[in-house]
Amino acid sequence: MSKKGSSDLYSTLISSAPGAFLASKVGLPQPETLRRYKEGEPPLPGPLLVGGSGRLVEPIRDLLSDYEFAGDDTDKFGGIVFDATGITTIEELKQLYTFFQPLMRKTAPSARVLVVGTTPELVRKTDERIAQRALEGFTRSVAKELRRGATCNLVYVSPKAKTDFSGLAAPLRFVLSAKSAYVDAQVIRVNEKPATAPANWDKPLDGKVALVTGAARGIGATIAEVLSRDGAKVIVADIPPAGDALSEVANKIGGVALALDVTAADAAEKIAEAAERFGGLDVVVHNAGITRDKTLANMDDARWDSVIGVNLLAPKRITEALSANGGLKEGGRVVDVSSIAGIAGNRGQTNYAASKAGVIGMVDAEASDLAKKDITINAVAPGFIETQMTAAIPLATREVGRRLNSLLQGGQTVDVAETIAFFASPASSATTGNTVRVCGQSLLGA
Ligand code: NAD
């Protein structure tokens, strides 16, 4: 994977023996080296415990039958899942306390904790709806209490999913793996659609064709690498001046380079044309993005127009054109890149934050229409990611951005890419209309 980006000198120093000793003495934050995906390694850093008394305990065990389950003698858990779908009253929330309290000191470094509930908005009974909504506060607080790179997330399953829970497999396997290293305190909603498991969970995109915009460098280049690792033929697109870097990315992954300005009137046409010789497009990742920062008082309208044009109008037009003319196949996947700036807002970024919040709105607004063609649309909202862009931020500001999250460090481009690859998987047919932050539970906009 690409190694370009800023280096986190503080983390390197702190992970040395004298550095760690000094940090613990003076109470400095000690970021854990996060466990990330490596082919052939087990998904979790230890055995998995599945608890709770809801309707999903047995299906979860079945869907994860190749995982190593914890026994009575386990003292460090690599993963803990609690099925909270059985909680239908406020009083029953006590089950969370009873189950988790004795386990809080028993998580391995980079462990995954997962609470599974029923989508509150779709629950009819008042008490159950309240109790299910309460899971969010619980999850986010556990995420803040866990140490050493362990995370806690929440998956809500539609109450309409009654007998076929196959759509739950991909979200479970993403959250309960090293691929979700920087995804913390997030909520993923799973609907009742069934899913077909890939022949090989390490190659879920085998035979698929994907397009990534803005792929000449940074996050986009890593997305292309990860989709290719997962088996996809990848078309990488970027503006003509980025041609050399783009060809390098394409060559590295056996992909195809496409010179493309996403704001061009014929952008969708060009994409469809490029994908045609591989049998059409299965995945579109709208990653190209720009910033043109100025406080609103100082902003000229060119800055406003270009940011809205590249970040929001272009992905909307391209998705609409591709889904209308079949350029994106039925069963396709659209993944947009938002930002926590679109959630928290940022001084000097009214244009950027509006565009990135608009991306979240676009995912909300388009999910149900695209579902008619079995196309899913989701967004990722990265927090502080170590890239050339964030390396250029002045040191003091950079340190604040990097440390103000539960994992005490910036994310890697691969963390964003893994989340996108999860949404891009054919097995993710039950996950649409979601925005997942890849921010280590950043305090911004939380
Ligand atoms: P980057 O600037 O390194 O890369 C963006 C790429 O998009 C560049 O290669 C650029 O040439 C390309 N691009 C710009 N305009 C284009 C156009 N009109 N047509 C085609 N390609 C175009 O940025 P990055 O840090 O890798 O960010 C990638 C995405 O992630 C962006 O959407 C950005 O807003 C978002 N994001 C980044 C961070 C972060 O911490 N780096 C945080 C939140 C969100």
Side-chain angles (χ1 to χ4, degrees), residues 213-221 223 237-239 242 260-264 286-292 310-311 337-341 352 356 380-390 413 416:
T213 67
R217 64 178 202 189
I219 294 173
I223 297 168
D238 212 302
I239 46 173
L260 177 85
D261 182 335
V262 291
T263 62
H286 296 293
N287 163 78
I290 58 168
T291 51
R292 295 286 183 270
V310 174
N311 297 1
V337 179
S338 176
S339 165
I340 58 167
Y352 183 75
K356 294 298 186 178
V380 299
F384 186 99
I385 304 298
E386 304 284 356
T387 60
Q388 283 160 289
M389 187 178 98
T390 49
T413 55
V416 181

Side-chain angles (χ1 to χ4, degrees), residues 48-256:
L48 173 69
L49 177 68
V50 181
S53 56
R55 66 199 163 106
L56 297 173
V57 177
E58 285 316 314
I60 288 171
R61 287 207 179 100
D62 288 348
L63 292 168
L64 301 173
S65 58
D66 51 328
Y67 273 55
E68 182 201 346
F69 288 100
D72 292 341
D73 55 342
T74 307
D75 59 356
K76 283 282 178 208
F77 297 95
I80 300 171
V81 180
F82 184 76
D83 175 13
T85 58
I87 296 179
T88 56
T89 65
I90 294 165
E91 290 78 7
E92 283 169 6
L93 285 168
K94 184 78 182 271
Q95 289 177 25
L96 296 169
Y97 169 82
T98 312
F99 179 78
F100 280 108
Q101 197 279 333
L103 296 172
M104 287 302 286
R105 290 199 177 89
K106 294 188 171 179
T107 52
S110 291
R112 299 282 168 263
V113 176
L114 174 64
V115 178
V116 181
T118 302
T119 317
E121 310 85 84
L122 303 176
V123 171
R124 285 194 185 175
K125 291 187 192 130
T126 305
D127 279 21
E128 184 178 354
R129 184 167 174 165
I130 295 168
Q132 288 298 318
R133 180 64 180 75
L135 301 178
E136 237 185 273
F138 178 81
T139 301
R140 293 193 206 278
S141 300
V142 169
K144 289 191 175 179
E145 291 184 15
L146 289 169
R147 290 285 171 264
R148 304 206 59 192
T151 62
C152 182
N153 292 287
L154 173 61
V155 167
Y156 278 135
V157 182
S158 164
K160 293 183 203 154
K162 291 204 161 45
T163 49
D164 185 344
F165 300 106
S166 51
L168 185 55
L172 280 179
R173 283 171 183 270
F174 170 65
V175 174
L176 296 171
S177 78
K179 292 181 175 178
S180 60
Y182 203 60
V183 176
D184 200 5
Q186 294 307 293
V187 182
I188 299 176
R189 284 174 170 73
V190 178
N191 64 33
E192 67 283 7
K193 292 252 172 83
T196 308
N200 177 355
W201 281 104
D202 281 319
K203 294 272 174 216
L205 292 172
D206 249 348
K208 301 292 177 189
V209 178
L211 171 105
V212 183
T213 67
R217 64 178 202 189
I219 294 173
T222 310
I223 297 168
E225 289 175 35
V226 169
L227 298 184
S228 164
R229 176 204 72 191
D230 280 359
K233 181 79 181 170
V234 184
I235 303 166
V236 289
D238 212 302
I239 46 173
D244 288 349
L246 189 68
S247 303
E248 233 179 87
V249 174
N251 289 342
K252 192 170 166 193
I253 62 172
V256 179

Side-chain angles (χ1 to χ4, degrees), residues 301-316:
D301 70 344
R303 280 173 204 268
W304 181 273
D305 292 345
S306 57
V307 168
I308 299 288
V310 174
N311 297 1
L312 184 55
L313 264 178
K316 179 170 182 288

